[in-house]
């Protein structure tokens, strides 16, 4: 790896833990989300899974909480019809 990549991996690892454990958590969460029939909702839910997996390691990480809030809002936006939520 390059010095820049090594630095990024080290910084993220200090906050989110080892990528193997983080990815294992994400995969487990996404396996459940895969049951969602709405592909647009699934995108938002998949992104939320990443943030949940990170929060399991570091529950005080404010940015991850805010990202979940943003993905929830955009998920609502893409799943609404002109008449409102389905």
């Amino acid at each position: 790896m390059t010095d820049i990549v090594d630095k990024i991996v080290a910084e993220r690892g200090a906050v989110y833990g080892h990528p193997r454990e983080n990815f294992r958590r994400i995969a487990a969460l996404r396996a459940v989300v895969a049951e969602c029939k709405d592909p647009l909702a699934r995108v938002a839910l998949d992104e939320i899974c990443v943030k949940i997996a990170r929060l399991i390691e570091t529950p005080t990480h404010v940015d991850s909480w805010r990202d979940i809030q943003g993905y929830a809002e955009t998920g609502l936006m893409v799943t609404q019809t002109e008449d409102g939520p389905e």
Side-chain angles (χ1 to χ4, degrees):
M1 284 192 268
T2 66
D3 290 340
I4 294 171
V5 173
D6 288 340
K7 182 180 179 196
I8 292 168
V9 169
E11 288 172 358
R12 296 296 191 277
V15 177
Y16 304 126
H18 193 281
R20 184 177 298 110
E21 181 61 21
N22 186 251
F23 285 13
R24 184 197 62 76
R25 288 176 177 146
I26 294 167
L29 291 164
R30 283 184 172 177
V32 176
V33 167
E35 297 175 19
C36 178
K37 292 181 182 4
D38 184 321
L40 299 180
R42 249 190 343 265
V43 171
L45 292 169
D46 280 341
E47 295 302 322
I48 291 170
C49 287
V50 171
K51 301 306 176 173
I52 289 171
R54 290 178 171 182
L55 285 166
I56 290 167
E57 186 71 30
T58 312
T60 58
H61 198 257
V62 175
D63 285 347
S64 292
W65 287 111
R66 289 189 177 131
D67 287 344
I68 287 173
Q69 186 177 17
Y71 287 124
E73 183 63 33
T74 55
L76 181 61
M77 289 169 61
V78 300
T79 57
Q80 285 185 325
T81 65
E82 290 182 11
D83 299 327
E86 291 186 9

